[in-house]
Amino acid sequence: MDIAPEREDSVDMPARRRWFGDGRVLKRIVLAVLVLLILPYALIFFYLLPFIHPVSTLMLRDLVLLRGYDRQWVSLDNIAPVVVQSVMMSEDGQYCFHGGVDWAEMRMLVEDTLKGQATRGGSTIPMQTAKNLFLWNGRSFVRKALELPLAVSTDFVLSKRRLMEIYLNIAEWGPGIYGIEAAAQHHFKVPASKLTRRQASLLAVSLPNPIDRNAGKPGRGLRRLAGVIERRAQGSGDYIRCIYD
C-alpha cells in the first residue's frame, strides 16, 4: 500500500504562522523600517526650533555604553567667527553655494573610485551633519545612499546659519568631546568665543580624525595643515556670506 508523501506545506505552514502570524508580524517589521526611514526627515523640521539642541548618534552611543560625554551647547553668536571660517575652508569651501551635496566633487570621487584610485571623503558639512545626527560612522554604499537625500533635505529645511550651528555643536573633537565649546575648553582652556585663528585652524584640521589628531598637542603634519587652513581662512570673506550677511 502506497503512502502519499506528506506535503511540504503541511510542515512549513505552522512555522510560518508562528513567525509571521499570517503576515501581521511581517507588516509590523515593514512598518518599523518605514518609521525609521521617515523619522529623520521629521526631526529635521523639529530642529528648526532654536531652543532644540540635537545630539548625535555617537553621543547616544556613549550614553548607552555608560561612558558619558562632554558637550556644552553654544549659539553661533558665541562662537568666534574664525572657527566658522577655518571649518568651512577645511571641510567644505563651497558650503554657501551648494544645496547640501557638492555634485561636481561627488562625480570626481565616483570616477576615481571606478578607476581604483584612492579617494578623499568628499563629504560636505550638510552630509556630515546628517551622518552625525541620524546615521553611523564607517564607509558603505548603504550609508552613503541614505546620507545624500538627508543632506539635501537638511540643507533645504534649515538655514545655512542654523545648520552650521548644529554641526559645530555635535562634531566630535576627541574621545567623549563633542561640540566646539567642549573642544575649546578641553584643548585650549578657553571658551569658543575666545579661540584664536591658529587654535581654530588646528581644531578644523583635526575634524577628519579627531581621535588620532589632537588639536591641543599637534604634530608637525597637523601644524602644517593648520597653517594652510589659517591662510585660506584669512581670505574667506566671499565664502562665508551666507553665515554672517
Side-chain angles (χ1 to χ4, degrees), residues 130-190:
K131 180 201 72 175
N132 290 343
L133 287 174
F134 308 119
L135 302 173
W136 62 92
N137 278 343
R139 292 189 177 186
S140 72
F141 288 111
V142 173
R143 198 209 72 190
K144 191 62 69 175
L146 295 171
E147 183 181 299
L148 291 176
L150 279 170
V152 173
S153 300
T154 301
D155 189 90
F156 179 78
V157 173
L158 303 178
S159 69
K160 293 285 188 179
R161 184 177 175 85
R162 173 63 171 167
L163 203 158
M164 177 62 74
E165 181 180 71
I166 292 174
Y167 176 65
L168 291 177
N169 276 286
I170 64 173
E172 184 183 24
W173 263 292
I177 306 298
Y178 297 96
I180 188 63
E181 182 68 20
Q185 297 282 358
H186 176 78
H187 291 295
F188 302 113
K189 313 301 181 188
V190 298

Side-chain angles (χ1 to χ4, degrees), residues 78-136:
N78 292 321
I79 299 173
V82 291
V83 174
V84 175
Q85 294 171 328
S86 299
V87 168
M88 284 177 62
M89 291 300 100
S90 178
E91 296 287 286
D92 187 1
Q94 298 301 310
Y95 176 72
C96 286
F97 307 106
H98 60 62
V101 178
D102 189 337
W103 295 109
E105 180 74 11
M106 288 296 297
R107 191 182 309 112
M108 288 189 290
L109 287 174
V110 170
E111 291 174 355
D112 289 344
T113 300
L114 293 175
K115 294 176 183 176
Q117 299 176 0
T119 61
R120 297 177 294 118
S123 292
T124 62
I125 286 174
M127 290 169 67
Q128 293 179 57
T129 304
K131 180 201 72 175
N132 290 343
L133 287 174
F134 308 119
L135 302 173
W136 62 92

Side-chain angles (χ1 to χ4, degrees), residues 5-232:
E6 187 176 358
R7 290 183 59 190
E8 185 178 350
D9 287 351
S10 65
V11 177
D12 289 344
M13 281 304 294
R16 289 176 185 172
R17 289 198 182 106
R18 187 165 61 250
W19 283 104
F20 295 107
D22 294 329
R24 285 176 293 179
V25 173
L26 183 59
K27 289 178 182 177
R28 289 171 185 169
I29 292 173
V30 172
L31 180 61
V33 171
L34 289 174
V35 169
L36 287 175
L37 290 174
I38 295 171
L39 181 61
Y41 294 92
L43 286 174
I44 292 171
F45 287 93
F46 187 58
Y47 294 155
L48 279 167
L49 302 173
F51 55 85
I52 299 299
H53 301 164
V55 297
S56 69
T57 53
L58 286 178
M59 295 160 73
L60 292 174
R61 178 206 62 186
D62 287 349
L63 283 178
V64 170
L65 297 177
L66 303 179
R67 295 175 183 171
Y69 61 83
D70 185 9
R71 196 280 289 272
Q72 305 161 51
W73 184 279
V74 286
S75 70
L76 201 63
D77 290 333
N78 292 321
I79 299 173
V82 291
V83 174
V84 175
Q85 294 171 328
S86 299
V87 168
M88 284 177 62
M89 291 300 100
S90 178
E91 296 287 286
D92 187 1
Q94 298 301 310
Y95 176 72
C96 286
F97 307 106
H98 60 62
V101 178
D102 189 337
W103 295 109
E105 180 74 11
M106 288 296 297
R107 191 182 309 112
M108 288 189 290
L109 287 174
V110 170
E111 291 174 355
D112 289 344
T113 300
L114 293 175
K115 294 176 183 176
Q117 299 176 0
T119 61
R120 297 177 294 118
S123 292
T124 62
I125 286 174
M127 290 169 67
Q128 293 179 57
T129 304
K131 180 201 72 175
N132 290 343
L133 287 174
F134 308 119
L135 302 173
W136 62 92
N137 278 343
R139 292 189 177 186
S140 72
F141 288 111
V142 173
R143 198 209 72 190
K144 191 62 69 175
L146 295 171
E147 183 181 299
L148 291 176
L150 279 170
V152 173
S153 300
T154 301
D155 189 90
F156 179 78
V157 173
L158 303 178
S159 69
K160 293 285 188 179
R161 184 177 175 85
R162 173 63 171 167
L163 203 158
M164 177 62 74
E165 181 180 71
I166 292 174
Y167 176 65
L168 291 177
N169 276 286
I170 64 173
E172 184 183 24
W173 263 292
I177 306 298
Y178 297 96
I180 188 63
E181 182 68 20
Q185 297 282 358
H186 176 78
H187 291 295
F188 302 113
K189 313 301 181 188
V190 298
S193 60
K194 300 296 183 183
L195 286 166
T196 66
R197 190 174 295 279
R198 184 63 172 177
Q199 292 168 341
S201 63
L202 284 167
L203 287 168
V205 297
S206 70
L207 275 171
N209 192 353
I211 304 303
D212 294 331
R213 296 182 177 185
N214 190 324
K217 298 177 181 178
R220 182 181 301 175
L222 202 63
R223 291 197 301 269
R224 180 180 57 80
L225 286 174
V228 173
I229 295 305
E230 189 175 354
R231 290 190 293 273
R232 290 179 181 174

